[in-house]
Amino acid sequence: MRTPLTSHDEILVGSEHGRICALAAAGQRDLQERAAAHHELFAAKPFDPTLFSAVAHATAFGAPWCTVEQLRVANRASLWVFAADWLIDSQATSRDEVASIVADCRAVADGAVPTAASPLGRFLGEIRDALAAAPSFRTGRQRWREEVERMLAAMAQEWEWKSALAGGTAGPTFDEYLDNADNTGLSFVNVSHWLFTGDRSCLEQLGELTMAGREAQRVLRLVNDLATHERDAVWGDLNALMLTDHADVSRRITMLVERCHDLLRPLEPTCPQQAVYLARQIGFTSGFYQVTDFWGGT
């Protein structure tokens, strides 16, 4: 039985929640400004104000100790992932079109000046340049580049699987699908955030944190799928429930959460905030998808 909170406790809890909501409000304003600046990417109906709000709330709840400025890269990186997903997963009609999007973004991640023909590349360039202001980016740039590559390759792979299934060919196994969870972009966002805000211990253990973050990413992939199966069926998207049953997905979520805890435990003494950040991501995702989804309607 839950112990009732005192009025003093409730004031403290309310204060914390109020600060989180204020961080989210500021984040949402910034995201709406970026969306207006890159209107070619965000004109579609699914990019409604609620999506901007949900992205900003997810970031704020994950790291409520941060300032508005410290959350800016994570917020923008998250929004960029939604734009990339929409272009590749929902709008691209050919393998060549997917390859062109991927090539443009890879070039920007490598340092190229974005071209006028690539709105997605221009937005990624903004994120890259904001990260370049952080001293850690000098040594961490290659790791960030690798995260961009992993995410784009995973999105392209999912496009291939969807095309194969649409043509009557076999798609992925459940394990193959889950191993492709980089297409959610969560690891890319996490590494971007840590490079922008991380202290020395965080940067020294970035590899271990990223490994734990990939387990959290798989949890997010499956929790999302349980909540969005009907929408995915309408949109023609892949979903874990197309590959296995609900009970199997639930069992795998439990295993992945336990595995994430095992990876985070040794990191808690040296990277306490980053460990809490990943744990709060899992908690926020589990609660959020009980009620709604990030995407607006089509």
Side-chain angles (χ1 to χ4, degrees):
M1 183 176 179
R2 179 177 178 269
T3 303
L5 296 178
T6 66
S7 57
H8 179 69
D9 293 332
E10 294 288 3
I11 289 173
L12 293 177
V13 170
S15 177
E16 179 190 14
H17 290 178
R19 185 174 190 281
I20 290 171
C21 290
L23 288 171
Q28 180 179 351
R29 290 189 183 105
D30 180 68
L31 292 181
Q32 288 178 318
E33 289 173 2
R34 298 329 305 145
H38 299 281
H39 58 88
E40 309 99 317
L41 293 175
F42 300 105
K45 190 176 178 181
F47 294 104
D48 62 3
T50 302
L51 184 146
F52 302 133
S53 174
V55 168
H57 274 87
T59 305
F61 271 90
W65 50 81
C66 286
T67 64
V68 171
E69 292 74 20
Q70 287 173 324
L71 294 179
R72 189 161 289 148
V73 162
N75 275 325
R76 293 182 182 184
S78 297
L79 186 61
W80 184 86
V81 171
F82 276 93
D85 182 55
W86 179 251
L87 285 179
I88 293 175
D89 196 49
S90 299
Q91 300 300 293
T93 58
S94 70
R95 186 174 290 106
D96 287 346
E97 190 175 349
V98 172
S100 177
I101 294 169
V102 169
D104 285 343
C105 292
R106 282 174 174 161
V108 171
D110 282 335
V113 176
T115 67
S118 177
L120 191 65
R122 290 204 307 278
F123 193 12
L124 182 62
E126 283 188 9
I127 296 167
R128 178 200 65 195
D129 293 346
L131 278 168
S136 59
F137 198 58
R138 241 178 267 116
T139 56
R141 182 169 191 147
Q142 182 55 35
R143 186 177 291 276
W144 182 79
R145 169 65 177 80
E146 290 168 1
E147 290 299 326
V148 175
E149 168 63 29
R150 289 180 68 112
M151 181 187 59
L152 292 169
M155 288 182 174
Q157 178 61 76
E158 179 137 333
W159 187 92
E160 292 287 349
W161 283 334
K162 283 178 59 177
S163 297
L165 286 169
T169 311
T173 65
F174 177 44
D175 285 334
E176 288 172 336
Y177 172 78
L178 190 55
D179 284 344
N180 200 54
D182 280 306
N183 75 312
T184 67
L186 184 66
S187 186
F188 161 72
V189 172
N190 291 345
V191 170
S192 298
H193 176 63
W194 289 330
L195 286 173
F196 193 60
T197 64
D199 56 18
R200 183 173 180 178
S201 293
C202 166
L203 299 172
E204 287 176 348
Q205 296 184 272
L206 193 56
E208 293 89 338
L209 285 166
T210 303
M211 185 181 300
R214 291 205 195 286
E215 295 302 300
Q217 182 174 246
R218 293 182 180 99
V219 174
L220 179 145
R221 171 75 285 166
L222 296 183
V223 170
N224 173 288
D225 283 359
L226 289 181
T228 62
H229 179 231
E230 291 183 4
R231 188 209 67 197
D232 288 342
V234 172
W235 285 18
D237 285 345
L238 277 176
N239 185 292
L241 292 179
M242 300 173 186
L243 309 171
T244 189
D245 60 32
H246 193 290
D248 192 22
V249 173
S250 296
R251 281 193 298 270
R252 191 64 65 92
I253 290 173
T254 299
M255 291 170 57
L256 289 168
V257 170
E258 291 175 356
R259 169 67 174 158
C260 192
H261 283 315
D262 289 342
L263 292 171
L264 288 176
R265 205 166 289 116
L267 294 169
E268 289 171 355
T270 52
C271 300
Q273 282 191 341
Q274 290 76 25
V276 169
Y277 169 82
L278 288 175
R280 288 177 71 95
Q281 270 187 347
I282 294 173
F284 179 87
T285 300
S286 300
F288 182 85
Y289 280 113
Q290 291 180 35
V291 179
T292 190
D293 182 19
F294 282 87
W295 290 105
T298 56

